[in-house]
Amino acid sequence: MLPKTADIVIIGAGALGSSIAYHLTKRGARDILVLERESIGSGSTSKAAGGIRVQFATRVEIEFSLRGIAFFKRFEEEMGAPCDFRQEGYLFVLTRERDLERFRKNVALQQSLGADVRIIAPDDARAIVPALRVDDAIAAVWGPMDGYASPNDVVQAYAAQARARGARFVEGTPVTGIEVAGERVAAVQTPAGRIETRLVVNAAGPQAPLVGKMVGLELPVDPRRRHIFVTDAFTEIQHPLPLVTDTATGFYCRSEQQAILMSPGDIGAQTEYAASVDWSVLEQAVEKAVRRIPALERARVRHAWAGLRPLTPDGRGILDWAPGIEGLYLAVGFCGHGFQHSPAAGEMVAELLTTGATSLDLSDLRLGRFSRAG
Ligand SMILES: Cc1cc2nc3c(=O)[nH]c(=O)nc-3n(C[C@H](O)[C@H](O)[C@H](O)COP(=O)(O)OP(=O)(O)OC[C@H]3O[C@@H](n4cnc5c(N)ncnc54)[C@H](O)[C@@H]3O)c2cc1C
């Protein structure tokens, strides 16, 4: 049974919505209702590769990464469940001067904030990954703090811990409308009934723009499909393979136990919500894979999945109040890093909703940056 009222309604139980619920309850908030149209974590979060890196261009995003890494390190102690966090590193292979310039600038900022990231020579990259082809590389960037964790374990733990402190998660219940009275949120509608509330968080992932439309708000978030392919056990290359990215092509891969998990990056433009596997993408994935790690020619792909990344025009997420509608908060558009930034994003939203302020400066994540000229 749905409650008739809630202090805070969160739309979507993905990494972001569940983390916000967890952090709110950790700060003492109790009357939290999370409405999920399918099941906890079933959206983009369960499709993520689990990657966690400090390679970001803005201060706030790097701080989110560092907080995320610290959280994943203490995860089992704080959350009472494992999340398979492995710091096996990220290795970016650079073949273009313009990428090197961009990375140099970003790495300097990352290092100034305490991150361990290094620009290394191609031969040093080969020392880390002997199977790597580097004859066309001009440099590589090595992040030994980086790694990956299990998105599903993390989202389930957020929900379990939030529930243990009194939050309610209701699955199979889509929000179909948001009622506004005057200029303030008054209630949300679902097929199972209406819930009165003065505070709603839109954490609907790729579907966030559809939730925005319920109150006439256009959100600059577009769904973009990405594929992941996983091979059979493949022992011709040394495990653990760090997450290797070919920066020019967008291809990346890493160890998944003794197998290889790989993605060709984004292929083609797309603004639909379909996330089924298109097997014709495999050919491009293999071509990119073999160009960077020739031995992968002999690996056999065992299975695949695809998911939607909620993309914004500048690749940064949005944490902000919705303009013109009091009581509607946006935690949307976290592109390809919403899983790894969910600990810090959840913490920031919980701080804001319980105290009116945040301990990190979120101005680079404001919605208004897209309407400003220049
Ligand atoms: C193939 C792939 C690889 C990725 N790899 C990484 C990675 O390595 N590292 C990383 O950090 N990120 C990665 N990402 C990105 C990451 O998955 C997303 O940024 C993140 O999961 C977004 O979390 P979310 O909570 O915003 O969205 P979601 O997980 O999609 O959660 C939103 C939830 O809202 C629900 N919902 C939608 N509409 C409604 C409604 N009207 N009413 C109720 N519920 C609703 C949905 O069912 C869904 O469960 C990857 C994504 C893909 C697709």
Side-chain angles (χ1 to χ4, degrees):
M1 262 258 300
L2 277 180
K4 296 249 175 298
T5 65
D7 282 351
I8 303 177
V9 172
I10 298 171
I11 305 175
L16 285 165
S18 304
S19 174
I20 293 167
Y22 165 63
H23 283 95
L24 279 168
T25 58
K26 211 177 146 191
R27 298 180 73 83
R30 289 289 173 265
D31 192 12
I32 315 291
L33 176 65
V34 185
L35 295 173
E36 167 55 52
R37 62 174 192 163
E38 292 177 0
S39 55
I40 293 165
S42 64
S44 296
T45 298
S46 58
K47 313 299 185 316
I52 297 159
R53 65 191 146 94
V54 294
Q55 278 301 328
F56 285 91
T58 63
R59 190 183 183 98
V60 66
E61 291 174 300
I62 298 163
E63 280 168 338
F64 273 28
S65 292
L66 293 172
R67 286 195 184 205
I69 289 169
F71 173 76
F72 291 121
K73 269 186 171 168
R74 65 170 191 274
F75 189 88
E76 193 157 351
E77 192 188 324
E78 179 169 330
M79 306 302 279
C83 74
D84 200 25
F85 179 43
R86 292 166 193 248
Q87 286 180 292
E88 292 172 358
Y90 259 61
L91 185 69
F92 290 85
V93 180
L94 309 183
T95 52
R96 301 182 301 204
E97 275 303 331
R98 64 173 187 273
D99 289 332
L100 180 54
E101 257 171 57
R102 181 167 54 89
F103 269 83
R104 268 211 183 100
K105 197 167 142 257
N106 294 347
V107 165
L109 180 61
Q110 292 150 15
Q111 287 173 340
S112 76
L113 294 170
D116 186 359
V117 203
R118 308 161 202 173
I119 296 181
I120 59 174
D123 283 346
D124 295 332
R126 245 179 88 91
I128 297 168
V129 178
L132 203 62
R133 190 188 137 218
V134 293
D135 57 347
D136 58 344
I138 53 170
V141 177
W142 172 233
M145 300 171 83
D146 300 342
Y148 64 92
S150 159
N152 194 50
D153 289 348
V154 171
V155 71
Q156 299 303 335
Y158 285 144
Q161 287 291 331
R163 272 179 164 151
R165 291 175 172 83
R168 296 182 64 170
F169 282 65
V170 184
E171 299 175 291
T173 306
V175 170
T176 50
I178 299 175
E179 291 175 26
V180 177
E183 287 186 346
R184 180 158 198 120
V185 161
V188 297
Q189 298 161 346
T190 78
R194 171 177 181 275
I195 299 107
E196 284 182 13
T197 183
R198 288 170 64 76
L199 208 44
V200 170
V201 179
N202 178 354
Q207 287 81 29
L210 306 180
V211 170
K213 282 202 175 92
M214 292 175 189
V215 290
L217 191 66
E218 290 289 329
L219 293 176
V221 177
D222 287 317
R224 189 95 180 262
R225 181 167 53 173
R226 178 165 278 193
H227 285 74
I228 304 261
F229 297 98
V230 181
T231 69
D232 277 332
F234 185 66
T235 49
E236 274 188 48
I237 62 177
Q238 186 183 302
H239 293 282
L241 179 70
L243 198 145
V244 175
T245 300
D246 187 341
T247 309
T249 68
F251 168 82
Y252 66 83
C253 61
R254 65 161 167 83
S255 290
E256 174 77 6
Q257 316 275 1
Q258 292 295 298
I260 305 292
L261 176 153
M262 62 185 182
S263 173
D266 284 332
I267 289 172
Q270 182 212 343
T271 47
E272 289 165 16
Y273 286 95
S276 53
V277 172
D278 171 359
W279 281 99
S280 73
V281 171
L282 178 59
E283 198 180 322
Q284 295 176 62
V286 170
E287 192 194 308
K288 289 180 177 183
V290 170
R291 204 182 309 162
R292 192 48 58 207
I293 302 185
L296 286 176
E297 192 180 10
R298 293 181 292 281
R300 284 167 49 121
V301 167
R302 176 164 46 94
H303 77 113
W305 70 84
L308 297 173
R309 297 186 314 143
L311 296 195
T312 61
D314 64 4
R316 296 205 296 273
I318 298 168
L319 288 182
D320 204 354
W321 291 105
I325 298 143
E326 241 183 288
L328 177 59
Y329 194 81
L330 309 170
V332 305
F334 271 77
C335 306
H337 53 271
F339 160 66
Q340 61 192 289
H341 281 181
S342 65
E347 193 186 352
M348 289 305 105
V349 178
E351 280 181 12
L352 184 75
L353 298 185
T354 54
T355 69
T358 55
S359 51
L360 293 176
D361 176 3
L362 304 185
S363 43
D364 278 338
L365 305 180
R366 280 196 193 126
L367 176 65
R369 71 186 189 267
F370 297 112
S371 50
R372 276 197 305 269

